[in-house]
Amino acid sequence: MAEGNNVLLGILAVILGILVIAFPLFSVFTASVLAGLAIMFLGIWLLTQSFGTWAASKAAGIAYLLLGIIAIICGIGLFGHILLFSALASFWLYFAGFFLIISGIMSLFAKEGTAAKGSGGIGVILGILYIILGAYAWNPYYLALLIGIWLIIDGIALFFVSPSDLVGMEKSEIPK
């Protein structure tokens, strides 16, 4: 059983997952607002970096300035735009699925041993699953369902496994 702190986080994740599934459009709208705000804050930070680096390097200052302006424009465009958020989520699922398939195929042919071949096969299967999920993420209702299910599964996992225990196990297995 996990620590009390992780159990509380697990309960909150399960409740949040249920709320996301119960109110899908509001949840995706909230996620798009938060993502838009985060990207706008990133753009503001990049703008401030451009002024700080301008004296040291004009090229770096211009690069930060351009990236900051682009990030602010993208953040404003994403702010509250449900369909754009769904399209971006779908794109990232396609992108990750494509790379999982490629890396899985490379592991199948490049490595020797049962464990390496098994991890390559799992990579290909997960890549295909990501691409299938990407096809559903275009619809905001399905995107909310995917996010809600992920939150519930992650919350339940926090009841039983403490992330700090996993890190401790990995460190103890390292040969010295």
Side-chain angles (χ1 to χ4, degrees):
M1 191 71 177
E3 300 170 2
N5 200 15
N6 287 332
V7 171
L8 179 62
L9 287 175
I11 291 170
L12 289 174
V14 169
I15 291 171
L16 186 60
I18 292 169
L19 287 174
V20 167
I21 292 172
F23 304 105
L25 285 180
F26 180 74
S27 302
V28 173
F29 174 78
T30 304
S32 70
V33 167
L34 292 174
L37 279 174
I39 292 172
M40 283 191 287
F41 285 137
L42 175 67
I44 293 168
W45 179 78
L46 288 169
L47 283 177
T48 58
Q49 288 292 357
S50 73
F51 299 129
T53 60
W54 188 265
S57 171
K58 299 270 190 265
I62 291 171
Y64 279 129
L65 181 70
L66 291 175
L67 285 174
I69 291 170
I70 291 170
I72 290 173
I73 291 170
C74 289
I76 290 170
L78 187 61
F79 189 86
H81 198 272
I82 294 174
L83 293 177
L84 181 60
F85 183 75
S86 295
L88 287 174
S90 180
F91 169 75
W92 282 114
L93 284 169
Y94 283 135
F95 190 71
F98 174 74
F99 280 104
L100 277 170
I101 290 171
I102 297 298
S103 66
I105 290 171
M106 289 172 52
S107 286
L108 282 172
F109 293 114
K111 295 181 180 176
E112 293 185 16
T114 308
K117 302 261 187 223
S119 69
I122 289 173
V124 170
I125 291 169
L126 285 176
I128 293 169
L129 181 65
Y130 270 48
I131 289 174
I132 291 169
L133 291 176
Y136 285 106
W138 281 99
N139 187 339
Y141 291 108
Y142 290 127
L143 179 61
L145 182 67
L146 293 172
I147 293 171
I149 290 170
W150 173 76
L151 283 167
I152 291 171
I153 290 170
D154 195 42
I156 291 171
L158 281 172
F159 291 146
F160 301 107
V161 177
S162 173
S164 60
D165 291 344
L166 293 176
V167 172
M169 284 176 22
E170 291 175 22
K171 286 182 180 178
S172 66
E173 294 177 359
I174 297 174
K176 293 183 181 184

